[in-house]
Amino acid sequence: TQLLEQSPQFLSIQEGENLTVYCNSSSVFSSLQWYRQEPGEGPVLLVTVVTGGEVKKLKRLTFQFGDARKDSSLHITAAQTGDTGLYLCAAGWGGKLIFGQGTELSVKP
Amino acid sequence: GAGVSQSPSNKVTEKGKDVELRCDPISGHTALYWYRQSLGQGLEFLIYFQGNSAPDKSGLPSDRFSAERTGGSVSTLTIQRTQQEDSAVYLCASSLGVSTEAFFGQGTRLTVV
């Protein structure tokens, strides 16, 4: 079983639509990270959330850390084709950085 | 270098052969990770080095996999007697510590034929 469960696993939407992806766990984390990976590249950090209930915005992307620090969400407003990629959440656990299985997002023109 | 460097970028090998994958982390980063990624999937943790501590090998899938990190810098992941199920992208990352930003290389795409 995955420590970090992401949903949905796949998402295909039209440009201009809004979407939300989720990262859930039964464990509490001191912080949680979101990465984005494009084909042929390694993941790149988008944001780190630290405080329960925290909301961070990065242009059209809004990240929220759950009050209990067990879950997080990523909301994209008015998706663009350039948002296409694999979105991964990650957290420190047992002294190492572990990742969810990712959400593959495809934004069609 | 400015970022994490991995070599080779692509490797095709015959089943049963041994392969070595190399990772040059960002200078000064004490933490180094190896992950495996199958097509369109998340990152499967393999091994973690932190400073001079004993590495966390809990993610290595079998005893055919091993890794070392020399002088706290360059790391080599070795896969012995490769199998077709070892085909994947192997990603290396370095960071200043757990839960800090991990910087990834572009990966080595391994194909076992």
Side-chain angles (χ1 to χ4, degrees):
Chain A
T1 55
Q2 287 273 116
L3 187 64
L4 293 169
E5 292 281 350
Q6 288 190 240
S7 62
Q9 276 193 275
F10 302 95
L11 192 54
S12 181
I13 61 171
Q14 295 295 129
E15 201 168 27
E17 292 183 2
N18 301 331
L19 67 115
T20 303
V21 299
Y22 300 92
C23 176
N24 296 309
S25 178
S26 57
S27 301
V28 177
F29 300 104
S30 59
S31 65
L32 191 141
Q33 301 172 351
W34 284 93
Y35 289 78
R36 177 167 168 259
Q37 184 180 23
E38 296 188 48
E41 303 289 329
V44 175
L45 181 71
L46 294 173
V47 77
T48 300
V49 285
V50 178
T51 306
E54 180 178 7
V55 176
K56 280 192 173 179
K57 293 194 174 185
L58 189 66
K59 297 182 180 178
R60 294 175 294 101
L61 278 60
T62 302
F63 303 85
Q64 185 161 9
F65 201 12
D67 290 341
R69 290 183 288 123
K70 291 182 179 182
D71 52 78
S72 182
S73 63
L74 158 60
H75 181 81
I76 302 179
T77 303
Q80 300 177 356
T81 56
D83 295 327
T84 292
L86 180 67
Y87 290 82
L88 297 151
C89 63
W93 185 257
K96 55 188 176 279
L97 189 63
I98 54 94
F99 284 79
Q101 73 270 47
T103 293
E104 185 77 50
L105 172 65
S106 174
V107 182
K108 302 187 184 307
Chain B
V4 177
S5 177
Q6 290 188 245
S7 59
S9 54
N10 281 284
K11 176 72 175 179
V12 179
T13 189
E14 291 181 351
K15 178 182 172 181
K17 295 282 178 68
D18 298 351
V19 294
E20 283 190 353
L21 312 180
R22 177 186 167 103
C23 174
D24 274 288
I26 293 173
S27 177
H29 280 191
T30 57
L32 187 147
Y33 298 87
W34 284 99
Y35 296 91
R36 181 168 69 175
Q37 186 175 36
S38 299
L39 189 62
Q41 299 297 306
L43 275 62
E44 176 190 2
F45 168 78
L46 296 178
I47 188 168
Y48 168 55
F49 297 88
Q50 172 60 50
N52 295 321
S53 302
D56 181 338
K57 305 179 181 180
S58 60
L60 294 178
S62 78
D63 59 8
R64 296 186 295 104
F65 288 73
S66 63
E68 62 178 20
R69 188 178 185 189
T70 54
S73 181
V74 171
S75 178
T76 302
L77 177 68
T78 301
I79 308 173
Q80 295 179 309
R81 304 180 303 282
T82 52
Q83 304 294 312
Q84 288 186 327
E85 60 263 28
D86 299 335
S87 296
V89 175
Y90 290 80
L91 287 162
C92 174
S94 70
S95 72
L96 291 172
V98 176
S99 300
T100 60
E101 180 177 2
F103 293 83
F104 283 83
Q106 290 192 311
T108 293
R109 180 175 297 280
L110 176 66
T111 304
V112 182
V113 297

